[in-house]
Amino acid sequence: MFSRVLAVSIMIVALSLVGLPALAADNCQTCHFEFEDEDGASHKFVRDIHGQKGLGCVDCHGGDPSLDDMDEVRREKDYRGVPSHLEVPRFCARCHSDAAYMHEYNPSLPTDQLEKYKTSVHGQRLFNNRDDKVANCISCHTVHEIGDAKMPHSSTHPVNLIATCGKCHSDADYMAGYGIGTGQVDDYVVSVHGVALLERNDLGAPACNDCHGNHGAAPPGVTSLSAVCGNCHAIEAGLFNTSPHEPAFAANDFPMCETCHSNHKILKPDDSMVGTHHEAVCAECHASDDGTRAFAIAGTISEALSRLVTAHGQAGEVLSEAIEKGMMTTDEEFRFKEVDQALIQARTMVHAFDADSVLSRTGPGILKADSVRVNSAALIDEYHFRRKGLGFATLFITILVVALYIKIRRIDRGLNE
Amino acid sequence: MPANGTDAKLGFYDRAYAWLNERFKIDALVEYMGDKKVPVHGHSAFYYFGGISLFLFIVQVITGILLLMYYRPGADTAYESVRFIVSNVQFGWLVRSIHSWSANLMILAVFIHMFTVYFTYAYRKPRELTWLTGIGLLGLSLMFGFSGYLLPWNELAFFATRVGTGMAGAIPVIGRDILVIMRGGEEVTGATIGRFFGLHVAILPGIFTVLLAAHLIFIQRQGMSEPLHWHDRAETDKKYQRFFPSFLLRDLLVWLIVLNVLAILAVLFPDGIGVVHWPLGTKADPFAPPPEVIRPEWYFMFAFQALKMLPAHVLFIEGELFGILVFTVGGVIWALVPFLDRKTGGQKARYYMAFGWLVLAFIIVMTVIGYVLE
């Protein structure tokens, strides 16, 4: 009898312990999970960073999660329901602008998203024009499956961001009336940045937000363009800002980097961009009879680059042959890296648009390349010398072996006789 | 040959010989060597492997001394000095290449020499000490290889030495002390180079020379071992050649051929080829991640592979320790085989023959697995 009572008591205690969390569970999530399919909010929310951090439906939508009747939930005084498109930024900002609250979950996350958003083209149109087509928080971050931008599945991860922005910006019908093109994504994916990010998964390459900003997204203006590009291309931007082009571009409202390199479709630059031939970008503005020295300078820079490229190629070819032949080329390979470096520096110095600056890099580079070529050629000669030496040594040893063999035969014959 | 060199009509060499002979009784030595005979039979070719090993050792000494002129031990200088030798010193590349090829060929020749002696029962009485000194020379040759491998202080050598010395640490009780003594500390550092260098160029050559002298004296005193089946053969059915000059000149001829092979290999493959290679590569960096594949030199591969394949525990002993114990016991039996196997013929002799084949098969199979299957 006692054992039965004990068993029933234990069972009751166990069921209570198991049942407690069930009673405390989020009824919103429980019901919605049951009635929605896999694309439903409750299913997505399992993957959402808010869900993973322990937040529930009520933290955004309000209401009482212990109620199991939806009508009763709606009658709750703090029930906020589903915000409209125009309400979303402030809806999210309730928490995301509250530094103290956010500190509990992610102290390093900024809390100025709403303020920045207000400065963006999206924010200004939404708040000032009550435009419900422009992007708000959920347009980019999604609803209910929001992920940290560092996570590969997140819509704001750099690799996914291009498609996220392109969702609106590549849709001609959707963008009709805004007066901007819809070819940005198509241009970007073939650009040097797009190839690096999307094909090589190089997360160091810029996505849309790196140039345009994210919450404060806006097209960079003519004056700020070199600052935007200069974030990464600091040396080129620095050279440009002290070059004769800087005041000239400013005076003519030419966007700085974009004038020569384009914007979204920035292709890998090559040396043919510089020079006096008709394909060179220099020739688009300058001519031999424009009364300036610019055309002549472009020709000098182009020729200097061309000579270094030729010297670099010749040295590389001879060095490769020496490597292929198994010679000890460590020193020459090291020196060749200096030639590589000189070429990179010379191409960078083009942004000073000053012939002497470029020549100060191409001159020593050509000398080094010539030295690598000569030394590598000497190594190849050494390779042939070694083989000839081996041939002579083999011949000499073979003669000795034959002579010794004859001597042994003679001695053997003498001993046998 | 005249007894003295007073005859002015004699040539320079005859007079020099006579001068020396008067003082050192060289005639007696020539006569002694002239009386020595070397058996001629189907397996006589194996007699040359001892001589080949000796020749390659001489090459090692000469090229080692040449390398010593530029090599600078130390974590900051070893790699740089070897790079200087192969890229700036005239024929430095050739000297290093010959030294490396010769080291590998010497180990191979020593192994062949040892197994042919074993399989022809040439270790038996009265040659027990010749066998023992030979085993000692093999051990020293392996130590030469192990200590020399680290000296260029490149990435591969550094990590291989770390693994190799780490294995010594698995020996119970004294393992840790041995590891610290070998490395000159807890880790492989510049102090380890100093120790390995001292071992490679002073300690090992000194001991090796003494053992080699004893080995050669024993061989000279006892002559070449005759095949077992000759015991029942009449003297008239046995064929011999004189040690001097016939065998010695043939030895010289083989040396010349080996020298030529060495030259061809050294010139065509200065960094080695296939699994036998020693590219200088990059300098050792103790903080760099180890390369994907760390392999010892080919003559250690069988032991390395066997230890790698052992489970974590065998019975109640750690796998690695079990392997080291088995190798130690096996090595002791191998070294003491002349004292264990004394009788010609019989069941016991067949066991020792089977043991020899087993050891050879084990070495070959483990080496192949190490390179091909892993």
Side-chain angles (χ1 to χ4, degrees):
Chain A
M1 182 65 190
F2 174 74
S3 59
R4 275 187 197 170
V5 170
L6 184 67
V8 170
S9 308
I10 291 171
M11 201 179 287
I12 290 168
V13 171
L15 283 172
S16 308
L17 289 172
V18 174
L20 275 175
L23 288 172
D26 187 347
N27 271 351
C28 321
Q29 180 71 0
T30 308
C31 292
H32 280 268
F33 203 85
E34 194 179 332
F35 296 121
E36 288 172 354
D37 62 16
E38 286 197 356
D39 289 331
S42 57
H43 286 264
K44 287 179 178 175
F45 194 65
V46 177
R47 299 188 290 274
D48 191 290
I49 192 162
H50 300 97
Q52 288 167 354
K53 294 271 185 186
L55 298 175
C57 309
V58 291
D59 291 295
C60 295
H61 298 288
D64 182 353
S66 64
L67 299 173
D68 52 8
D69 180 13
M70 203 56 217
D71 291 330
E72 284 181 43
V73 172
R74 286 193 188 99
R75 281 197 291 274
E76 286 288 310
K77 65 177 180 190
D78 62 344
Y79 177 71
R80 287 183 292 279
V82 179
S84 71
H85 189 91
L86 300 177
E87 288 169 341
V88 167
R90 290 205 168 89
F91 188 84
C92 299
R94 275 180 54 253
C95 299
H96 280 276
S97 292
D98 184 342
Y101 180 79
M102 289 307 295
H103 195 83
E104 290 175 35
Y105 294 96
N106 186 352
S108 65
L109 197 70
T111 50
D112 60 351
Q113 295 94 333
L114 180 63
E115 293 311 309
K116 280 186 174 167
Y117 180 73
K118 286 176 183 170
T119 68
S120 72
V121 174
H122 297 138
Q124 285 179 359
R125 289 195 69 87
L126 184 133
F127 289 121
N128 300 343
N129 302 358
R130 301 193 63 75
D131 182 347
D132 61 2
K133 279 176 71 185
V134 289
N136 61 14
C137 313
I138 61 173
S139 312
C140 302
H141 291 283
T142 76
V143 202
H144 299 125
E145 56 181 349
I146 299 167
D148 187 318
K150 293 187 196 77
M151 303 306 287
H153 68 269
S154 165
S155 59
T156 51
H157 182 272
V159 171
N160 303 328
L161 191 70
I162 313 306
T164 299
C165 298
K167 205 167 54 182
C168 300
H169 284 276
S170 295
D171 186 337
D173 294 335
Y174 195 83
M175 294 303 292
Y178 287 107
I180 54 174
T182 50
Q184 299 93 333
V185 171
D186 289 341
D187 284 348
Y188 174 82
V189 294
V190 297
S191 75
V192 66
H193 298 135
V195 170
L197 179 67
L198 302 174
E199 291 182 18
R200 297 206 306 269
N201 280 323
D202 178 357
L203 298 182
C208 313
N209 64 320
D210 291 294
C211 299
H212 294 281
N214 35 33
H215 299 104
V222 168
T223 49
S224 63
L225 195 63
S226 74
V228 170
C229 303
N231 264 335
C232 299
H233 303 280
I235 299 172
E236 287 85 348
L239 290 168
F240 180 89
N241 286 336
T242 55
S243 77
H245 273 150
E246 199 276 335
F249 275 35
N252 291 289
D253 266 356
F254 289 164
M256 291 172 174
C257 312
E258 186 184 335
T259 303
C260 300
H261 293 282
S262 160
N263 46 21
H264 298 105
K265 197 176 183 177
I266 299 170
L267 300 177
K268 189 174 170 60
D270 62 50
D271 296 332
S272 67
M273 287 176 71
V274 185
T276 52
H277 52 280
H278 68 278
E279 286 170 7
V281 289
C282 310
E284 287 176 17
C285 301
H286 299 290
S288 56
D289 55 357
D290 64 3
T292 68
R293 287 174 49 242
F295 198 72
I297 290 171
T300 308
I301 290 174
S302 170
E303 193 195 332
L305 282 178
S306 169
R307 281 197 293 125
L308 178 55
V309 168
T310 305
H312 178 273
Q314 287 170 343
E317 205 172 296
V318 183
L319 178 60
S320 297
E321 194 184 335
I323 293 170
E324 214 172 89
K325 290 195 179 322
M327 302 305 290
M328 182 74 183
T329 50
T330 319
D331 289 346
E332 297 318 311
E333 284 176 61
F334 186 76
R335 215 166 282 152
F336 191 64
K337 280 188 180 151
E338 291 178 11
V339 183
D340 279 336
Q341 193 64 21
L343 189 54
I344 292 167
Q345 287 176 348
R347 283 170 173 158
T348 304
M349 293 310 286
V350 168
H351 298 91
F353 307 104
D354 168 41
D356 288 342
S357 301
V358 176
L359 289 169
S360 72
R361 298 297 190 280
T362 54
I366 290 167
L367 285 178
K368 278 203 180 78
D370 287 346
S371 145
V372 171
R373 183 175 49 78
V374 170
N375 292 342
S376 300
L379 286 172
I380 293 168
D381 289 345
E382 165 80 13
Y383 168 85
H384 293 298
F385 169 75
R386 287 178 187 183
R387 266 149 184 72
K388 279 179 197 158
L390 176 65
F392 283 122
T394 303
L395 183 69
F396 179 67
I397 293 172
T398 306
I399 291 168
L400 273 181
V401 166
V402 171
L404 196 57
Y405 179 74
I406 293 167
K407 179 76 177 170
I408 289 168
R409 298 279 298 188
R410 274 187 194 161
I411 289 171
D412 284 351
R413 267 203 299 274
L415 288 173
N416 290 334
E417 283 165 10
Chain B
M1 184 63 60
N4 59 58
T6 52
D7 193 339
K9 290 177 183 174
L10 292 175
F12 172 76
Y13 291 110
D14 290 335
R15 276 187 284 131
Y17 180 87
W19 190 89
L20 287 169
N21 188 37
E22 191 180 358
R23 284 156 183 83
F24 300 109
K25 306 285 182 283
I26 294 172
D27 273 350
L29 187 66
V30 173
E31 197 181 329
Y32 168 75
M33 290 206 292
D35 286 344
K36 268 173 63 80
K37 288 186 289 185
V38 176
V40 178
H41 51 86
H43 300 122
S44 294
F46 289 123
Y47 288 140
Y48 294 105
F49 278 93
I52 292 172
S53 307
L54 174 64
F55 170 69
L56 291 168
F57 175 70
I58 295 167
V59 172
Q60 285 302 92
V61 172
I62 295 168
T63 51
I65 290 170
L66 291 174
L67 289 171
L68 203 54
M69 297 191 179
Y70 288 95
Y71 179 75
R72 298 283 174 269
D76 297 329
T77 50
Y79 177 84
E80 287 75 7
S81 65
V82 175
R83 211 177 88 171
F84 183 77
I85 287 169
V86 293
S87 56
N88 293 69
V89 176
Q90 281 285 341
F91 295 106
W93 65 274
L94 185 62
V95 175
R96 179 178 182 242
S97 178
I98 289 179
H99 194 72
S100 305
W101 270 114
S102 177
N104 283 281
L105 293 178
M106 180 180 147
I107 302 268
L108 181 66
V110 168
F111 266 112
I112 295 172
H113 181 49
M114 180 184 71
F115 276 108
T116 52
V117 166
Y118 188 93
F119 290 129
T120 52
Y121 297 105
Y123 53 77
R124 282 181 179 168
K125 187 183 172 184
R127 296 183 175 80
E128 297 95 329
L129 291 182
T130 318
W131 171 262
L132 272 183
T133 49
I135 292 291
L137 289 169
L138 169 71
L140 290 172
S141 301
L142 295 176
M143 285 165 78
F144 263 122
F146 186 65
S147 57
Y149 197 57
L150 177 71
L151 298 186
W153 194 241
N154 54 13
E155 191 188 38
L156 218 60
F158 174 80
F159 287 105
T161 305
R162 199 153 81 171
V163 173
T165 50
M167 282 179 178
I171 301 169
V173 187
I174 53 167
R176 186 171 167 73
D177 291 333
I178 291 177
L179 182 140
V180 171
I181 291 168
M182 283 171 81
R183 290 183 176 177
E186 295 287 339
E187 291 295 329
V188 176
T189 61
T192 320
I193 304 183
R195 281 167 192 244
F196 276 42
F197 178 66
L199 199 68
H200 195 76
V201 305
I203 300 168
L204 291 179
I207 304 170
F208 197 95
T209 307
V210 172
L211 271 186
L212 180 63
H215 194 73
L216 293 176
I217 289 168
F218 294 159
I219 292 165
Q220 287 306 314
R221 293 299 297 164
Q222 295 169 333
M224 302 290 193
S225 165
E226 293 181 1
L228 282 184
H229 64 271
W230 274 29
H231 287 202
D232 307 326
R233 199 177 272 190
E235 281 301 312
T236 47
D237 292 338
K238 297 177 184 174
K239 198 178 166 193
Y240 294 98
Q241 64 179 327
R242 289 183 181 219
F243 179 79
F244 182 83
S246 297
F247 184 78
L248 210 58
L249 285 177
R250 281 180 169 79
D251 231 0
L252 190 63
L253 190 136
V254 172
W255 287 16
L256 279 173
I257 293 169
V258 171
L259 178 68
N260 204 359
V261 170
L262 199 57
I264 290 169
L265 290 171
V267 172
L268 296 186
F269 311 107
D271 285 338
I273 185 169
V275 296
V276 188
H277 70 300
W278 44 87
L280 190 53
T282 52
K283 187 178 174 175
D285 178 3
F287 300 107
E292 267 183 48
V293 182
I294 302 174
R295 279 178 178 156
E297 289 190 280
W298 63 269
Y299 39 85
F300 290 124
M301 181 49 106
F302 72 97
F304 179 76
Q305 184 60 31
L307 291 177
K308 218 166 86 173
M309 286 170 74
L310 279 170
H313 284 90
V314 179
L315 302 174
F316 53 91
I317 314 174
E318 260 185 51
E320 198 170 312
L321 178 60
F322 177 80
I324 291 170
L325 283 174
V326 169
F327 279 127
T328 309
V329 172
V332 170
I333 294 173
W334 190 259
L336 296 180
V337 80
F339 303 101
L340 303 171
D341 172 36
R342 293 157 181 267
K343 283 184 187 167
T344 305
Q347 191 68 23
K348 207 175 165 190
R350 279 199 286 275
Y351 286 149
Y352 284 104
M353 180 60 73
F355 178 61
W357 282 112
L358 200 70
V359 170
L360 182 61
F362 173 78
I363 291 175
I364 292 172
V365 168
M366 281 297 154
T367 306
V368 169
I369 290 174
Y371 284 117
V372 180
L373 302 183
E374 287 289 314

